[in-house]
Amino acid sequence: MKNIKLPAGINRAINKVAFKMKKHTPEILVIAGVGGTIVTTVMACKATTKIDEVLAENKEQIAKTKNYVEETGFSDKYTEKDYQKDLTVMYTQRGLKLFKLYAPAIAVGTISITAILAGHNVLKKRNVALAAAYEVVNKNFKDYRGRVIDRFGNELDRELRYNIRKEEVEKTVIDEKTGKERTVKEITEIADIDPSSEYAKFFDESCPGWTKDPEYNLMFLRNQQQYANDLLESRGYLFLNEVYEMLGIQRTRQGQVIGWIYDKNVIDKVDFGIYNIANPANRRFVNGYERSILLDFNVDGDILNAI
């Protein structure tokens, strides 16, 4: 038979649909499994209503056999062994009828459970692959930062990481001798932190622990940071999502695998980045001029393989 070659446009459309279905395989399987479970319940309920009708004839045969034995007893023609054999056959027939009655529901239920497990298995494999890929990227980034620190020092690494630049600004001060105002120039550091990068999150009015009192907010964050360090020390590991929950911040996918591993040589390893002096907004928060703050967490990276 000659192969039929589809037009390129149709072929691309088919491949696109197939790829999307493959991409969403876990969701499709789970939804199908849940739907099948509901159908199984309905089918089982309907089958239950037919039990008496299906087993009526079998019940009557068993009752007649028992009545016959009670009235006539056993004889050479019909021994107790024959009686037990007949009951076994009749009860077996009852079991087969029950199985046939519930067989469709059992089949649908089995397929549904298989679909759910298959979807979970696909998702688990993808998560393992994703975690492995992230671990490679994270290791390469740490190695790169290590080389930068070895060659140029921690200061340059900090400037590059937070995009810190030095600018000359004019500032009006009061001359202590004359009491008059005068303008002076000084060098200050300005940091541009991208809130969408890495794991930085705002602690603001959307968080349950936030208040209108800047001093209380600072005290709350310091206490939560200390609690996170205590938890890390006692358990040996800490996930970023757990810290997010402490602060009332929404969990993230990355937070399920990203976190900290305890190091006995490092005191207070978990750092929320509250005292980042390179960020003017953080300085204003610590000094009580701001109620909210952008927290940047110093996670170790993917810790699943290290636990």
Side-chain angles (χ1 to χ4, degrees):
M1 183 177 178
K2 189 176 180 180
N3 293 330
I4 299 176
K5 188 175 181 180
L6 296 174
I10 296 177
N11 190 49
R12 285 195 297 269
I14 293 174
N15 288 332
K16 188 175 181 180
V17 171
F19 177 79
K20 286 186 176 180
M21 290 186 67
K22 184 177 181 180
K23 179 181 178 181
H24 297 287
T25 295
E27 294 94 331
I28 293 173
L29 288 173
V30 171
I31 292 173
V34 172
T37 303
I38 296 173
V39 172
T40 299
T41 304
V42 174
M43 294 176 67
C45 292
K46 286 185 176 181
T48 302
T49 61
K50 299 179 181 179
I51 286 181
D52 292 337
E53 179 183 345
V54 172
L55 299 181
E57 183 180 351
N58 186 265
K59 286 182 179 179
E60 186 177 352
Q61 290 178 348
I62 294 174
K64 286 181 179 180
T65 303
K66 288 183 177 180
N67 289 335
Y68 174 80
V69 171
E70 289 177 358
E71 293 175 359
T72 62
F74 299 112
S75 63
D76 294 338
K77 293 182 178 180
Y78 192 74
T79 63
E80 184 178 357
K81 186 176 181 181
D82 295 329
Y83 171 68
Q84 294 297 335
K85 183 178 180 181
D86 288 342
L87 286 181
T88 301
V89 171
M90 285 184 283
Y91 280 120
T92 301
Q93 290 175 344
R94 171 183 283 189
L96 290 174
K97 287 182 179 181
L98 286 174
F99 176 77
K100 289 180 181 180
L101 183 62
Y102 285 99
I106 293 173
V108 174
T110 302
I111 294 173
S112 301
I113 294 173
T114 302
I116 293 174
L117 293 177
H120 172 73
N121 189 43
V122 172
L123 191 60
K124 184 178 179 181
K125 289 181 179 179
R126 289 182 181 180
N127 287 338
V128 170
L130 182 62
Y134 175 83
E135 184 64 27
V136 173
V137 173
N138 187 53
K139 182 179 182 301
N140 290 338
F141 177 68
K142 284 186 175 180
D143 291 343
Y144 166 75
R145 284 191 61 198
R147 291 193 295 270
V148 170
I149 293 173
D150 290 341
R151 180 170 296 187
F152 302 105
N154 287 297
E155 185 64 23
L156 180 61
D157 173 68
R158 185 176 68 90
E159 291 179 3
L160 293 175
R161 184 180 183 186
Y162 296 106
N163 194 20
I164 298 173
R165 64 183 186 276
K166 294 182 179 180
E167 289 187 358
E168 186 179 65
V169 296
E170 293 185 351
K171 184 178 180 181
T172 302
V173 298
I174 304 296
D175 194 307
E176 295 180 357
K177 295 181 179 179
T178 63
K180 297 181 179 179
E181 292 185 352
R182 64 187 181 92
T183 301
V184 297
K185 294 182 178 180
E186 62 179 30
I187 302 298
T188 184
E189 289 185 341
I190 298 177
D192 293 332
I193 300 179
D194 182 3
S196 62
S197 66
E198 296 185 311
Y199 316 107
K201 295 290 181 181
F202 280 103
F203 179 73
D204 53 22
E205 60 270 14
S206 65
C207 303
W210 183 90
T211 69
K212 294 182 179 180
D213 186 343
E215 292 184 3
Y216 177 85
N217 291 338
L218 176 60
M219 180 178 66
F220 173 78
L221 290 176
R222 290 178 60 181
N223 288 338
Q224 293 299 81
Q225 180 174 286
Q226 186 58 53
Y227 173 67
N229 277 290
D230 292 341
L231 187 60
L232 173 63
E233 182 178 357
S234 64
R235 200 171 59 184
Y237 66 90
L238 180 68
F239 286 104
L240 182 59
N241 271 347
E242 294 177 293
V243 173
Y244 283 162
E245 287 183 348
M246 295 177 192
L247 304 176
I249 297 173
Q250 187 175 359
R251 296 166 63 95
T252 65
R253 292 183 179 179
Q254 297 92 331
Q256 297 180 134
V257 296
I258 303 300
W260 295 264
I261 293 295
Y262 177 68
D263 185 350
K264 63 180 180 180
N265 298 318
V266 180
I267 301 175
D268 294 336
K269 186 174 185 180
V270 180
D271 188 354
F272 292 178
I274 301 172
Y275 294 96
N276 179 14
I277 60 174
N279 190 336
N282 285 40
R283 292 201 298 268
R284 290 195 298 271
F285 174 81
V286 172
N287 292 331
Y289 301 116
E290 293 282 354
R291 299 174 179 173
S292 304
I293 184 175
L294 179 65
L295 302 175
D296 196 4
F297 305 92
N298 65 331
V299 294
D300 290 334
D302 185 351
I303 64 171
L304 281 182
N305 296 329
I307 297 177

